[in-house]
Amino acid sequence: MTGEPLLKVQAVETYYGNIRALSGVDVDVHKGEIVSLIGANGAGKSTLMMTICGSPQARTGQVIFDGEDITRLPTHLIARKRIAQSPEGRRIFPRMTVYENLQMGAGLDNLKYFNEDVEKIFTLFPRLKERQSQRGGTLSGGEQQMLSIGRALMARPKLLLLDEPSLGLAPLIVKGIFEAIKKLNKEEGLTVFLVEQNAFAALKLSDRGYVMVNGKVTMSGTGKELLINPEVRAAYLEGGRH
Amino acid sequence: MAIASENNVQPDVMAKAIKEAVFAGVVAFCMFLLFVGIETYQDINNQLVWRTRWGLLAVFVAVAVVGRFVTVAFIKPHLDKRKLAKAKTGVLDISEEKSFFHKHFLKIALVFLLCYPFLAMMIFGRQGSLKYVDNFGIQILIYVMLAWGLNIVVGLAGLLDLGYVAFYAVGAYSYALLSSYFGFSFWLLLPMAGILAALWGVILGFPVLRLRGDYLAIVTLAFGEIIRLVLINWTDVTRGTFGISGIAKASFFGIWSFDVGAANNFNKAWGLPSSSVYYKMFLFYIILALCMLTAYVTIRLRRMPIGRAWEALREDEIACRSLGINTVATKLTAFATGAMFGGFAGSFFAARQGFVSPESFVFLESAVILAIVVLGGMGSLTGIAIAAVVMVGGTELLREMEFLKHVFGPDFTPELYRMLLFGLAMIIVMLFKPRGFVGTREPTAFLKERKAVSGSFTKEGHG
Ligand SMILES: Nc1ncnc2c1ncn2[C@@H]1O[C@H](COP(=O)(O)OP(=O)(O)O)[C@@H](O)[C@H]1O
Ligand SMILES: [Mg+2]
């Protein structure tokens, strides 16, 4: 990879009160890549995601997006730089319909491209089209995840952050969602930064990957390299294969 | 088979009903023993003494026993049977064939409201209608407006505001003070009061809006009290607990006045007999128009980005931020908009009463307005309006219920039991409709045609 990365996380340390959750994390994501971050529960993966979005903000280090330092920007302004997130736990609006949830995602352009984009989302996830007037809170887990990703895509993001999209979902649905991500990346050149515990599926999908342990990045490489790396296999893959 | 089993069940139900009725009686006895059974008063020597009121206590207990018996023995089996029948047919009774009344409810209601003062006058005569236009009509509409205003803050944006009455007070005192010190007219002061209240909304909102839920509720509660205490203690300006009296009436858009002595008196100009009922009718239409304005703005805003952001904010603040919504600004606008309508209502209140004092702006008012919003189903304008009619109208009706004195004895003052009415309504609504009269949220956007929202058939977990 050459040239400036789209997202550059540089020596970032993030604290919750006095507890250090990230200690000197460096991560690069280049334009058009799918990069995944794997690690055990509590390693700090979600914290890194949220630090990129500015809540909580990094105490030291820098987050640079598209050549601009966004470390100290408030969350909503970071989102306006077109970093969209499907957060951990999906966080869709439960009392709003699927359609309204998607509308909320398109707020940055004031719904200018809404009609055309919503058709795209409905082709990507036909299930959402069927369920468009159903309340978000009554969707199944898989549908909620599709909605969460769909809502993030409505913002026409330059970078899509996905925090554990496979969490609690049946393998077949996970496969469908990962295929959708791959398709977006291939056909539209969407840049994706993906956090996963489902290491096998994530690394197979990704161009590159990082391994995080206790708030530090301990390993990085291409998806293929990490998949055959004995340490990674021992820690995250053996027995965990879906 | 169903019939046979029902017959078997019958005696069981009776036995159960009697048991539960006795139990309810015992509970009622213990509960009311001190509250109702014993009364304290001061005797001629100014000493606090007490006497018993066994008769009244017996009535209370009897009501509990009979009520519980009827509920368990008749009402509950009836409801269960209906539910069972419905489940058997497998048909959900929704949408499609709504009755004419149901479909055109809002139009009918509006036409009725427009004719209401004239109807009242036709039926009860000029003086007789005063009560219906003023005590029922105007009083209820003021609460409808206040509740709709608070609905923007609580129902849409999900910010629990326990001090809403503060903005009502700001509006009322803005009108009272600016009108008596500077002689500004109602039509100038109405928007000014709204703007001032909105300004206070922003001033209050700015420091507290980073708080959430319970904390916000407590701070707004304190704010409401602070405003009231300032009104009481800043006697140079507000005249303290004496209040401000002789506040100018609203004029007919500056053309005619409703002051009896004025040259351009409305009644004289139109050759009407002198009676305050015409002024009340005029006020009725003003508050009706203000209510319509509130409803219109609420409905329009819900379809606009800011309104959508309010509703999203209520659901998930973190998600909102990650979608690029400035949550602080969004909350502030909700607070200010709600406050503005409170301010309008306040200035109207001052013009109607001709008198304001801190008495009118106690915490209980905030609680009543909030109760109306909650009972109506947060977010639903229709539900809230119905709740206001039931609760405020019910309170006014209580005043009318002189016949209760025959049941409970001559020193029974029915309106003192107004909170009982609220409590009862709360319990009934929360039992049968936990989300308020109109608990389902109406979506604001659809792809092509309106479809029945299938999600409304299923129970929602929370949110
Ligand atoms: N809001 C918070 N307050 C305090 N500590 C937190 C908070 N969120 C996460 N942590 C802690 O930070 C560490 C990393 O958590 P997290 O980023 O959620 O891990 P992961 O997503 O990799 O499972 C954990 O030890 C967790 O307990
Ligand atoms: Mg996590």
Side-chain angles (χ1 to χ4, degrees):
Chain A
M1 281 291 151
T2 51
E4 271 301 295
L6 181 65
L7 174 77
K8 191 170 182 63
V9 176
Q10 226 171 7
V12 157
E13 308 216 327
T14 302
Y15 289 74
Y16 291 111
N18 286 327
I19 301 162
R20 185 164 62 184
L22 296 180
S23 26
V25 172
D26 295 292
V27 165
D28 288 349
V29 179
H30 291 264
K31 214 170 165 189
E33 271 188 319
I34 300 182
V35 175
S36 60
L37 176 69
I38 61 175
N41 238 327
K45 307 183 295 295
S46 300
T47 304
L48 178 59
M49 280 294 185
M50 295 312 289
T51 304
I52 294 169
C53 294
S55 117
Q57 289 185 350
R59 191 171 288 182
T60 59
Q62 277 182 318
V63 181
I64 293 164
F65 180 70
D66 222 359
E68 194 180 339
D69 188 348
I70 59 168
T71 324
R72 298 275 168 262
L73 282 186
T75 304
H76 68 274
L77 292 185
I78 293 176
R80 288 179 197 181
K81 304 273 177 215
R82 310 281 162 172
I83 299 181
Q85 178 172 208
S86 160
E88 187 166 33
R90 300 160 196 143
R91 291 196 174 270
I92 53 157
F93 301 116
R95 294 234 289 161
M96 295 180 149
T97 64
V98 167
Y99 196 71
E100 288 174 307
N101 264 281
L102 293 174
Q103 263 193 343
M104 289 309 302
L108 291 187
D109 297 308
N110 225 339
L111 306 187
K112 205 156 105 205
Y113 312 106
F114 180 74
N115 289 331
E116 120 194 35
D117 286 0
V118 88
E119 280 311 318
K120 251 180 12 204
I121 303 292
F122 283 161
T123 352
L124 190 67
F125 299 120
R127 281 296 277 277
L128 291 185
K129 184 165 189 168
E130 288 165 33
R131 308 268 156 171
Q132 56 172 296
S133 17
Q134 189 171 326
R135 278 162 221 282
T138 63
L139 296 175
S140 75
E143 289 158 355
Q144 287 192 4
Q145 188 58 58
M146 293 173 200
L147 180 55
S148 180
I149 296 174
R151 189 181 65 184
L153 290 171
M154 289 303 287
R156 303 199 149 197
K158 289 183 191 163
L159 171 66
L160 178 65
L161 304 177
L162 299 173
D163 197 339
E164 302 212 30
S166 75
L167 192 73
L169 302 184
L172 204 63
I173 294 170
V174 175
K175 199 164 160 250
I177 286 177
F178 277 21
E179 270 164 15
I181 296 169
K182 186 90 211 167
K183 195 169 150 210
L184 282 168
N185 173 260
K186 275 254 169 64
E187 291 176 4
E188 320 216 345
L190 182 70
T191 315
V192 181
F193 184 40
L194 175 77
V195 160
E196 261 303 337
Q197 287 203 51
N198 186 346
F200 184 73
L203 290 175
K204 229 173 65 174
L205 177 77
S206 304
D207 300 306
R208 290 185 309 112
Y210 292 88
V211 178
M212 183 176 261
V213 177
N214 281 335
K216 284 197 187 89
V217 170
T218 54
M219 247 182 285
S220 67
T222 65
K224 283 204 190 87
E225 281 166 9
L226 290 176
L227 268 175
I228 53 168
N229 181 304
E231 272 177 69
V232 174
R233 291 191 73 90
Y236 304 107
L237 295 176
E238 311 289 306
R241 176 189 287 238
H242 289 291
Chain B
M1 192 198 86
I3 296 164
S5 69
E6 244 162 57
N7 284 340
N8 293 341
V9 164
Q10 205 61 22
D12 286 356
V13 168
M14 282 299 159
K16 189 173 161 227
I18 292 171
K19 230 192 296 177
E20 294 212 3
V22 170
F23 183 66
V26 173
V27 171
F29 178 79
C30 298
M31 247 174 67
F32 291 122
L33 179 62
L34 293 178
F35 288 120
V36 178
I38 291 168
E39 185 190 31
T40 56
Y41 66 102
Q42 286 178 338
D43 66 4
I44 311 164
N45 305 325
N46 249 341
Q47 274 173 331
L48 198 66
V49 291
W50 58 280
R51 63 182 161 208
T52 52
R53 296 193 290 187
W54 298 124
L56 191 61
L57 181 61
V59 173
F60 269 80
V61 172
V63 167
V65 170
V66 172
R68 186 68 200 165
F69 180 77
V70 171
T71 313
V72 176
F74 302 108
I75 298 178
K76 193 154 176 297
H78 176 72
L79 288 180
D80 286 351
K81 222 186 290 173
R82 256 197 8 202
K83 218 184 266 173
L84 203 70
K86 232 188 260 172
K88 263 192 201 133
T89 54
V91 180
L92 288 166
D93 59 332
I94 26 100
S95 59
E96 307 320 336
E97 359 123 22
K98 279 182 185 161
S99 67
F100 174 82
F101 179 74
H102 206 108
K103 249 190 289 183
H104 298 280
F105 176 73
L106 291 180
K107 278 176 226 155
I108 294 172
L110 189 61
V111 170
F112 172 75
L113 281 174
L114 286 172
C115 304
Y116 177 78
F118 292 102
L119 281 176
M121 194 126 99
M122 257 156 55
I123 299 170
F124 301 102
R126 195 179 304 121
Q127 279 323 104
S129 70
L130 208 59
K131 183 175 84 187
Y132 291 94
V133 176
D134 196 23
N135 292 4
F136 285 91
I138 295 177
Q139 184 75 1
I140 290 175
L141 286 177
I142 288 182
Y143 278 94
V144 168
M145 175 154 184
L146 285 171
W148 280 352
L150 181 62
N151 174 52
I152 293 174
V153 184
V154 179
L156 295 185
L159 305 166
L160 186 50
D161 180 355
L162 292 182
Y164 188 63
V165 80
F167 305 121
Y168 189 37
V170 168
Y173 270 87
S174 302
Y175 179 64
L177 293 173
L178 293 175
S179 142
S180 29
Y181 284 103
F182 301 105
F184 293 155
S185 82
F186 175 77
W187 295 104
L188 176 67
L189 287 177
L190 182 71
M192 264 174 86
I195 290 167
L196 281 172
L199 203 70
W200 275 104
V202 173
I203 291 171
L204 161 73
F206 209 69
V208 306
L209 282 178
R210 63 189 76 239
L211 301 175
R212 232 171 277 169
D214 325 359
Y215 300 102
L216 180 67
I218 290 168
V219 174
T220 52
L221 174 76
F223 180 74
E225 286 304 293
I226 289 170
I227 291 269
R228 195 172 64 86
L229 291 175
V230 167
L231 292 178
I232 290 176
N233 291 305
W234 194 12
T235 42
D236 296 344
V237 177
T238 65
R239 312 205 39 226
T241 45
F242 291 116
I244 300 169
S245 51
I247 301 168
K249 287 179 173 174
S251 70
F252 195 98
F253 307 104
I255 306 172
W256 294 292
S257 157
F258 287 96
D259 288 327
V260 185
N264 56 346
N265 179 277
F266 181 85
N267 297 16
K268 267 189 232 151
W270 287 82
L272 296 166
S274 86
S275 160
S276 63
V277 77
Y278 300 105
Y279 181 52
K280 297 293 180 200
M281 282 172 78
F282 176 61
L283 286 180
F284 179 89
Y285 286 113
I286 294 180
I287 186 71
L288 185 60
L290 284 173
C291 282
M292 292 300 113
L293 177 77
T294 316
Y296 177 76
V297 169
T298 307
I299 291 167
R300 283 309 302 264
L301 284 177
R302 266 196 71 197
R303 282 156 212 273
M304 281 162 47
I306 183 70
R308 280 201 304 270
W310 287 342
E311 289 197 82
L313 194 69
R314 177 192 61 197
E315 313 249 304
D316 196 322
E317 200 174 327
I318 294 174
C320 278
R321 253 184 253 131
S322 74
L323 292 173
I325 294 170
N326 182 345
T327 49
V328 174
T330 306
K331 283 181 186 179
L332 270 184
T333 49
F335 234 68
T337 313
M340 182 180 73
F341 288 117
F344 286 156
S347 74
F348 174 84
F349 173 80
R352 173 218 186 194
Q353 302 290 88
F355 169 72
V356 290
S357 82
E359 284 280 276
S360 313
F361 309 107
V362 292
F363 167 67
L364 194 63
E365 288 299 309
S366 292
V368 165
I369 300 164
L370 185 64
I372 290 171
V373 175
V374 173
L375 284 175
M378 302 220 241
S380 156
L381 294 182
T382 319
I384 290 170
I386 295 171
V389 170
V390 172
M391 303 315 299
V392 182
T395 313
E396 292 299 321
L397 272 182
L398 269 182
R399 273 189 233 286
E400 308 285 311
M401 293 199 183
E402 289 299 310
F403 69 88
L404 283 178
K405 289 199 170 158
H406 299 302
V407 185
F408 293 106
D411 53 355
F412 181 82
T413 20
E415 63 260 35
L416 289 184
Y417 289 81
R418 129 186 145 101
M419 285 301 122
L420 199 64
L421 183 78
F422 268 83
L424 214 63
M426 278 279 188
I427 291 170
I428 290 172
V429 169
M430 291 305 138
L431 272 181
F432 294 102
K433 295 223 146 196
R435 288 173 161 272
F437 285 148
V438 183
T440 45
R441 180 183 162 276
E442 185 76 10
T444 57
F446 306 88
L447 185 53
K448 268 149 204 130
E449 79 279 18
R450 265 172 189 249
K451 285 187 190 170
V453 178
S454 45
S456 64
F457 307 151
T458 47
K459 257 215 170 95
E460 283 170 60
H462 56 88

